[in-house]
Amino acid sequence: MRDETWLGPAIDIRPLLPELHNALLVLLRGLRAEDWGRPTACPGWTVHDVAAHVLADHVGRLSIHRDQFQPLAPDAGEAFPAFIHRINDEWVVAARRISPPLLIDLLSSTGTQMIQHWNDTDMTTLGWPVSWAGPEPAPVWLDAARDFTEYWTHHQQLAEALDRQGLTVADFLGPVLDTFMRALPHTLREVEARAGAAVEFVVPGPAGGTWICARTDRGWALSTRAGSQPAATVELDADTTWRLCTRGITPEQARARATVHGDEKLAGAALGIVSIIH
């Protein structure tokens, strides 16, 4: 069995999915006709477009992972991120013909099926890669957590576009940040450091925590327990952290808001973290 301990302890986000799903439906059911056309943080996408993208996520997850149906693949010479962005845009354009009431009905049905799919899935096995955490097959718990963070991020983008309160309480934002931090070992993969050197990433507050990414003889490994004095410490507030990880802000903008101690180069590399396909 492959050692996946370098990703840190497992996360089980399944108990949070029903409330997140319900929050999205409540948000969308309360919209006026003009609200669906509001712009969002996703360039060129309206509220309707982001909601349709969430539907695409549900449909893709169920079709590929539950039903083993995957007819699409990158074109010859097409990079995987470019492929993902292309099919996302194609879906959103096509989905603009879906009325808001029908879109809500489809989200309700597929979201419920997605929750059931994850509840029926063995979280301890290896599954598909989570590209921002590395190219190798990932534990299914990480894939499920990735799915949760994408769902949460799009809900947050919709809430902000509509001037509503998102799910930023610690019960939700805490697991989101914990999942995003699993990108740190892959983020630092090309950074040379002595064995045992560590970067400490600190997010203060009830949704935050401390993550230590240390250099081992096999690469970088994540834990939540401190060893020796870290070579670099990055402290960043929770709101800035999730926006950095989803590229709502740039690493340069995050650095301006961060408190850094120790090795500036190592800290700067950690602030390059990205926890989406980018």
Side-chain angles (χ1 to χ4, degrees):
M1 182 177 291
R2 253 180 34 156
D3 179 17
E4 300 294 340
T5 57
W6 60 273
L7 282 166
I11 309 167
D12 188 355
I13 51 74
R14 290 176 294 182
L16 298 172
L17 287 173
E19 187 174 346
L20 175 56
H21 178 54
N22 184 64
L24 178 70
L25 297 178
V26 169
L27 179 66
L28 296 180
R29 285 170 177 154
L31 298 188
R32 302 165 300 178
E34 59 268 29
D35 291 332
W36 289 91
R38 286 202 193 190
T40 69
C42 301
W45 283 8
T46 64
V47 165
H48 185 285
D49 293 336
V50 172
H53 174 68
V54 175
L55 176 62
D57 285 344
H58 293 345
V59 169
R61 172 68 62 180
L62 293 168
S63 297
I64 296 170
H65 294 265
R66 186 192 66 182
D67 302 337
Q68 305 300 306
F69 180 74
Q70 188 181 14
L72 299 180
D75 292 335
E78 184 178 32
F80 184 70
F83 162 68
I84 293 297
H85 293 314
R86 175 173 62 81
I87 64 172
N88 284 344
D89 284 338
E90 289 172 351
W91 174 282
V92 163
V93 170
R96 287 172 181 161
R97 72 188 69 181
I98 302 175
S99 69
L102 180 56
L103 181 55
I104 292 170
D105 285 347
L106 292 170
L107 282 165
S108 177
S109 173
T110 55
T112 299
Q113 292 178 65
M114 183 198 70
I115 293 168
Q116 187 61 53
H117 164 70
W118 283 127
N119 285 332
D120 291 342
T121 301
D122 184 353
M123 296 284 111
T124 65
T125 60
L126 285 178
W128 281 40
V130 173
S131 61
W132 47 257
E136 300 297 326
V140 172
W141 63 258
L142 182 60
D143 195 17
R146 183 216 61 79
D147 208 30
F148 165 75
T149 61
E150 182 162 353
Y151 202 172
W152 180 90
T153 298
H154 291 316
H155 177 270
Q156 187 65 21
Q157 290 166 342
L158 290 169
E160 291 185 354
L162 295 161
D163 301 318
R164 309 289 175 81
Q165 179 62 46
L167 294 172
T168 56
V169 295
D171 286 350
F172 283 89
L173 185 52
V176 167
L177 296 179
D178 195 14
T179 301
F180 284 162
M181 286 297 134
R182 308 314 168 103
L184 269 177
H186 188 61
T187 301
L188 299 174
R189 64 193 181 280
E190 295 181 356
V191 176
E192 294 296 331
R194 61 173 176 79
V199 181
E200 182 181 57
F201 206 114
V202 180
V203 180
T210 298
W211 294 266
I212 298 94
C213 197
R215 180 73 185 186
T216 72
D217 56 358
R218 291 182 294 175
W220 292 88
L222 192 70
S223 74
T224 53
R225 293 189 298 175
S228 57
Q229 181 70 21
T233 297
V234 176
E235 184 174 318
L236 200 61
D237 67 88
D239 185 73
T240 302
T241 301
W242 82 257
R243 295 179 195 279
L244 169 66
C245 290
T246 59
R247 280 304 180 268
I249 63 172
T250 66
E252 292 75 23
Q253 290 171 316
R255 177 63 184 87
R257 305 177 192 179
T259 300
V260 171
H261 300 287
D263 188 323
E264 286 277 352
K265 183 177 179 181
L266 204 50
L271 284 167
I273 188 171
V274 57
S275 307
I276 58 171
I277 296 174
H278 180 66

